[in-house]
Amino acid sequence: MRETSETLNNQAIELASKGEYKEAIACFIRAISMERQNYLLWFNLGITYRDAGNLEDAKNAIHKAHLMNPYDEEVIESLAIICFNMGRFEEAFRYCTAGLGLNDANYHLWNTLGVLYFNQSDYGSASEAFEQALSINPYYYDALYNLRDTYSELGNESGAKACALRMKELKR
């Protein structure tokens, strides 16, 4: 069978799903050597670095994917989350803002923005972001969970209880 970037990508994804990150990364790097401008290969490499715990290399790889395709919202969200996990909050905010500028109906990015605000103890802005995520997708459990905690921080016990009740309904 002829080795292609596509077969290497598929093999790498399979390896990564088994936790064999070193081997998966080697496959992605080989695939990228064949097709340097394929942003999805760079993105997948970055996700694998992230899963392996190497956030710096993850950010670099996903940033390359972003440069090749600045309109992919999943790439932008991944960059925001990685920057957040690295303690680079200003960068994370910039990525969220850029992503929402492309699509203000991206409830994942609204949730990520809310998490950033929450971790900066800006609970008012966090609740607005989580509420926006839920106005787009009222079944988004993560945003509901985060909003419950935010309402608790704000002393809005009735709001927190309403979120908890809705969470129970969604788990059924």
Coordinates of all heavy atoms in Angstrom, one line a residue, residues 119-152:
N119 N -12.7 32.9 35.3 CA -11.3 32.7 35.9 C -10.6 34.0 36.2 O -9.6 34.0 36.9 CB -10.5 31.8 35.0 CG -10.8 30.3 35.3 OD1 -10.4 29.7 36.2 ND2 -11.7 29.8 34.4
Q120 N -11.2 35.1 35.6 CA -10.7 36.4 36.0 C -11.5 37.1 37.1 O -11.4 38.2 37.4 CB -10.7 37.3 34.7 CG -9.8 36.8 33.6 CD -8.3 36.9 34.0 OE1 -7.8 38.0 34.3 NE2 -7.6 35.8 33.8
S121 N -12.5 36.3 37.6 CA -13.4 36.7 38.6 C -14.4 37.8 38.1 O -14.9 38.6 38.9 CB -12.7 37.1 39.9 OG -11.9 36.1 40.4
D122 N -14.6 37.9 36.8 CA -15.5 38.8 36.3 C -16.8 38.1 36.0 O -17.2 37.6 34.9 CB -15.0 39.4 34.9 CG -15.9 40.5 34.3 OD1 -17.1 40.6 34.8 OD2 -15.5 41.1 33.4
Y123 N -17.5 37.8 37.1 CA -18.7 36.9 37.1 C -19.9 37.5 36.3 O -20.6 36.8 35.7 CB -19.1 36.6 38.5 CG -18.0 35.9 39.3 CD1 -17.5 36.5 40.4 CD2 -17.4 34.7 38.8 CE1 -16.5 35.9 41.1 CE2 -16.4 34.1 39.5 CZ -15.9 34.7 40.7 OH -14.9 34.1 41.3
G124 N -20.0 38.8 36.3 CA -21.1 39.5 35.5 C -20.9 39.2 34.0 O -21.8 38.8 33.3
S125 N -19.7 39.4 33.5 CA -19.4 39.1 32.1 C -19.5 37.6 31.8 O -19.9 37.2 30.7 CB -18.0 39.7 31.7 OG -18.0 41.1 31.8
A126 N -19.0 36.8 32.7 CA -19.1 35.4 32.6 C -20.5 34.9 32.4 O -20.9 34.1 31.5 CB -18.4 34.7 33.8
S127 N -21.4 35.4 33.3 CA -22.8 35.0 33.2 C -23.4 35.4 31.9 O -24.2 34.7 31.2 CB -23.6 35.6 34.4 OG -23.8 36.9 34.3
E128 N -23.1 36.6 31.4 CA -23.6 37.1 30.1 C -23.1 36.2 29.0 O -23.9 35.8 28.1 CB -23.1 38.5 29.8 CG -23.8 39.6 30.7 CD -23.3 41.0 30.5 OE1 -22.6 41.2 29.4 OE2 -23.5 41.8 31.3
A129 N -21.9 35.8 29.0 CA -21.3 34.9 28.0 C -22.0 33.5 28.0 O -22.4 32.9 27.0 CB -19.8 34.7 28.1
F130 N -22.1 32.9 29.2 CA -22.8 31.6 29.3 C -24.3 31.7 28.9 O -24.8 30.8 28.3 CB -22.7 31.1 30.8 CG -21.3 30.8 31.2 CD1 -20.9 31.2 32.5 CD2 -20.4 30.1 30.4 CE1 -19.6 31.0 32.9 CE2 -19.1 29.9 30.8 CZ -18.7 30.3 32.1
E131 N -24.9 32.8 29.3 CA -26.3 33.0 28.9 C -26.4 33.1 27.4 O -27.4 32.6 26.8 CB -26.9 34.3 29.6 CG -27.1 34.1 31.1 CD -27.4 35.4 31.8 OE1 -27.2 36.5 31.2 OE2 -27.6 35.4 33.0
Q132 N -25.5 33.8 26.8 CA -25.5 33.9 25.3 C -25.3 32.5 24.7 O -26.0 32.2 23.7 CB -24.4 34.8 24.8 CG -24.3 35.1 23.3 CD -25.6 35.8 22.8 OE1 -26.2 36.6 23.5 NE2 -26.0 35.4 21.6
A133 N -24.4 31.7 25.2 CA -24.2 30.3 24.7 C -25.5 29.5 24.8 O -25.9 28.8 23.9 CB -23.1 29.6 25.5
L134 N -26.2 29.7 25.9 CA -27.5 28.9 26.1 C -28.6 29.5 25.3 O -29.5 28.8 25.0 CB -27.8 28.9 27.6 CG -26.9 28.0 28.4 CD1 -27.1 28.3 29.9 CD2 -27.2 26.5 28.1
S135 N -28.6 30.8 25.0 CA -29.6 31.3 24.1 C -29.5 30.8 22.7 O -30.5 30.6 22.0 CB -29.6 32.9 24.1 OG -28.5 33.3 23.3
I136 N -28.3 30.4 22.3 CA -28.0 29.8 21.0 C -28.3 28.3 21.0 O -29.0 27.7 20.1 CB -26.6 30.0 20.6 CG1 -26.3 31.5 20.4 CG2 -26.3 29.3 19.3 CD1 -24.9 31.9 20.4
N137 N -27.9 27.6 22.1 CA -28.1 26.2 22.3 C -28.5 25.9 23.7 O -27.7 25.7 24.6 CB -26.9 25.4 21.9 CG -27.1 23.9 22.1 OD1 -28.1 23.4 22.5 ND2 -26.1 23.1 21.7
P138 N -29.8 25.9 24.0 CA -30.3 25.7 25.3 C -30.0 24.3 25.9 O -30.3 24.1 27.1 CB -31.8 25.9 25.2 CG -32.2 25.8 23.8 CD -30.9 26.1 23.0
Y139 N -29.5 23.4 25.1 CA -29.2 22.0 25.6 C -27.7 21.9 25.8 O -27.2 20.7 26.1 CB -29.7 21.0 24.6 CG -31.1 21.1 24.3 CD1 -31.6 21.7 23.1 CD2 -32.1 20.6 25.2 CE1 -32.9 21.9 22.9 CE2 -33.4 20.7 25.0 CZ -33.9 21.4 23.8 OH -35.2 21.5 23.6
Y140 N -26.9 22.9 25.8 CA -25.5 22.9 26.0 C -25.2 22.7 27.5 O -25.1 23.7 28.2 CB -24.8 24.1 25.3 CG -23.3 24.0 25.3 CD1 -22.6 22.8 25.2 CD2 -22.6 25.2 25.3 CE1 -21.3 22.8 25.1 CE2 -21.2 25.2 25.2 CZ -20.5 23.9 25.1 OH -19.2 23.9 25.1
Y141 N -24.9 21.5 27.9 CA -24.8 21.2 29.3 C -23.6 21.9 29.9 O -23.7 22.4 31.1 CB -24.6 19.7 29.5 CG -24.6 19.2 30.9 CD1 -25.8 18.8 31.5 CD2 -23.5 19.1 31.7 CE1 -25.9 18.4 32.8 CE2 -23.5 18.7 33.0 CZ -24.7 18.3 33.5 OH -24.8 17.9 34.8
D142 N -22.5 22.0 29.2 CA -21.3 22.7 29.8 C -21.6 24.1 30.2 O -21.2 24.6 31.2 CB -20.1 22.6 28.8 CG -19.5 21.2 28.7 OD1 -20.0 20.3 29.4 OD2 -18.7 21.1 27.8
A143 N -22.3 24.8 29.3 CA -22.6 26.2 29.6 C -23.6 26.3 30.7 O -23.5 27.2 31.6 CB -23.2 26.9 28.3
L144 N -24.5 25.4 30.8 CA -25.5 25.4 31.9 C -24.7 25.2 33.3 O -25.0 25.8 34.3 CB -26.5 24.3 31.7 CG -27.8 24.4 32.4 CD1 -28.5 25.7 32.3 CD2 -28.7 23.3 32.0
Y145 N -23.8 24.2 33.3 CA -23.0 23.9 34.4 C -22.2 25.1 34.9 O -22.2 25.5 36.0 CB -22.1 22.7 34.1 CG -21.2 22.3 35.2 CD1 -21.5 21.2 36.0 CD2 -19.9 22.9 35.4 CE1 -20.7 20.8 37.0 CE2 -19.1 22.5 36.4 CZ -19.4 21.4 37.2 OH -18.6 21.0 38.2
N146 N -21.6 25.8 33.9 CA -20.8 27.0 34.2 C -21.6 28.1 34.7 O -21.2 28.9 35.6 CB -20.0 27.4 33.0 CG -18.9 26.3 32.6 OD1 -18.4 25.7 33.5 ND2 -18.6 26.2 31.4
L147 N -22.8 28.3 34.1 CA -23.7 29.3 34.5 C -24.2 29.1 35.9 O -24.3 30.1 36.7 CB -24.9 29.5 33.5 CG -25.9 30.6 33.8 CD1 -25.2 32.0 33.8 CD2 -27.0 30.6 32.8
R148 N -24.5 27.9 36.3 CA -24.9 27.6 37.6 C -23.8 28.0 38.6 O -24.1 28.7 39.6 CB -25.1 26.1 37.8 CG -25.6 25.7 39.2 CD -25.3 24.2 39.5 NE -23.9 23.9 39.5 CZ -23.4 22.7 39.4 NH1 -24.1 21.7 39.5 NH2 -22.1 22.5 39.4
D149 N -22.6 27.7 38.3 CA -21.5 28.1 39.2 C -21.3 29.6 39.3 O -21.0 30.2 40.3 CB -20.2 27.4 38.8 CG -20.2 25.9 39.1 OD1 -21.1 25.4 39.7 OD2 -19.2 25.2 38.6
T150 N -21.5 30.2 38.1 CA -21.4 31.7 38.1 C -22.5 32.4 38.9 O -22.2 33.3 39.6 CB -21.4 32.2 36.6 OG1 -20.4 31.5 35.9 CG2 -21.2 33.7 36.5
Y151 N -23.7 31.9 38.7 CA -24.8 32.4 39.5 C -24.5 32.2 41.0 O -24.8 33.1 41.8 CB -26.1 31.7 39.2 CG -26.7 32.2 37.9 CD1 -27.7 31.5 37.2 CD2 -26.4 33.5 37.3 CE1 -28.3 31.9 36.1 CE2 -27.0 33.9 36.2 CZ -28.0 33.1 35.5 OH -28.6 33.6 34.4
S152 N -23.9 31.1 41.4 CA -23.6 30.9 42.8 C -22.6 31.9 43.3 O -22.7 32.5 44.4 CB -23.0 29.5 43.0 OG -24.0 28.5 42.8

